[in-house]
Amino acid sequence: MNYVVRSAINFKRLPTVALAPIWLFIVIASASASAKQEELQQRGLSTTIAEEVNLKGAVAVFVDIDGVLAPFSQDYEQTDAPTTDTKDASSIELHNCNRELTDEAMGALSKILKSIPKEKRRFILSSYWRVHHDCRQRILDSFEAYSVNHGGPLGDFKLFHGRTEHVHHCDCRQREIATWLEDHNPQGKVLDAYIVLDDQDVVHGRENRPYRDLLKGHAVKINGYEGLTLEDAALAISLINEQLDEA
């Protein structure tokens, strides 16, 4: 029995026995797609994390969001929660990633990225925002909006190249980053350089003794109230260039 399907199936013309397999196929296909999407999100991939990234000879930029691209000063400057165009606004509120990424901070990040050859740039998300897909997507949307208005390399990032493991999330940012480096840059023989942009100190203090040597000369401590500034960017570029000169 042959039927030509144009834009929709004429179910009235189909025998009753033919309907079951069609609906069964639709249900199975839908369930399979949902399961695949759930699997991707559990693995941290979905549409925001690249599955495979070449790190050889790359420059990894570890970026925090709160206190770096989203300064804490805005908490005191507005009484209403920031608005967002993201569909799942309630989810963003729930996941505590509702601060706005500022143009000033994104401009400073753009300056750092511009100093790195495009083929070497690798963006590693080390913020708590890394944990939830909605939060990661919000970052990428902010980058795209900034790029439309101001140009620069942020619009080139459609995916993150990696993220520190959320299973290690605690008040131990240094360990999270160090673990990623040990896994992806063994004996320092893969990356040409790496830089950490964070409002948490990952070098000084007793709690940072374990991996101090790994991150000393690779981190810029950001004033969380102000966020990432052009002065911070200049220091980051200087540290990156020193590493590249030694590579």
Side-chain angles (χ1 to χ4, degrees):
M1 190 180 302
N2 296 322
Y3 295 96
V4 178
V5 179
R6 300 298 182 185
S7 58
I9 298 174
N10 187 344
F11 291 103
K12 293 182 179 179
R13 295 182 57 189
L14 290 176
T16 303
V17 294
L19 293 177
I22 293 175
W23 284 111
L24 182 61
F25 172 78
I26 293 173
V27 170
I28 292 174
S30 177
S32 176
S34 298
K36 180 63 175 177
Q37 181 66 15
E38 182 178 352
E39 177 190 355
L40 287 173
Q41 291 194 13
Q42 288 177 348
R43 290 167 57 197
L45 302 175
S46 188
T47 57
T48 58
I49 307 289
E51 293 193 48
E52 296 183 10
V53 177
N54 179 15
L55 295 171
K56 184 65 177 177
V59 177
V61 183
F62 292 86
V63 181
D64 185 21
I65 301 299
D66 290 317
V68 177
L69 297 185
F72 293 119
S73 58
Q74 64 185 275
D75 294 353
Y76 304 92
E77 293 171 354
Q78 52 193 13
T79 55
D80 297 326
T83 57
T84 176
D85 291 332
T86 307
K87 296 178 186 176
D88 299 321
S90 60
S91 176
I92 286 174
E93 182 74 24
L94 176 65
H95 296 148
N96 196 29
C97 54
N98 59 342
R99 289 189 181 91
E100 295 289 342
L101 280 64
T102 66
D103 284 356
E104 292 79 10
M106 287 189 284
L109 179 59
S110 290
K111 184 174 181 179
I112 295 171
L113 296 172
K114 284 179 183 178
S115 74
I116 305 170
K118 184 176 182 178
E119 67 276 6
K120 286 180 172 286
R121 299 171 191 156
R122 300 293 184 271
F123 195 115
I124 312 300
L125 191 59
S126 54
S127 167
Y128 175 74
W129 290 41
R130 71 193 184 279
V131 178
H132 301 289
H133 169 78
D134 296 336
C135 299
R136 298 193 301 270
Q137 186 61 56
R138 185 160 187 251
I139 300 169
L140 295 174
D141 291 345
S142 296
F143 285 177
E144 178 65 25
Y146 177 88
S147 180
V148 168
N149 293 324
H150 304 282
L154 286 179
D156 296 335
F157 292 98
K158 308 303 181 184
L159 298 169
F160 295 109
H161 298 108
R163 63 173 178 173
T164 53
E165 289 295 329
H166 71 271
V167 293
H168 294 147
H169 183 73
C170 58
D171 290 330
C172 48
R173 184 63 52 82
Q174 186 207 55
R175 189 181 75 182
E176 295 169 350
I177 295 172
T179 299
W180 189 97
L181 288 168
E182 290 176 339
D183 290 343
H184 298 87
N185 189 42
Q187 300 180 330
K189 294 183 177 180
V190 180
L191 299 171
D192 275 358
Y194 56 94
I195 193 73
V196 177
L197 307 174
D198 208 300
D199 64 318
Q200 293 186 35
D201 196 329
V202 297
V203 175
H204 304 97
R206 190 173 180 179
E207 69 279 7
N208 287 321
R209 285 179 181 175
Y211 302 102
R212 179 173 296 158
D213 291 342
L214 187 63
L215 296 180
K216 188 176 182 179
H218 295 267
V220 178
K221 168 71 168 61
I222 310 301
N223 181 320
Y225 184 83
E226 297 180 351
L228 186 66
T229 65
L230 292 176
E231 290 76 14
D232 296 325
L235 176 55
I237 292 169
S238 176
L239 292 175
I240 292 171
N241 288 337
E242 287 178 11
Q243 297 174 61
L244 293 176
D245 289 342
E246 296 173 1

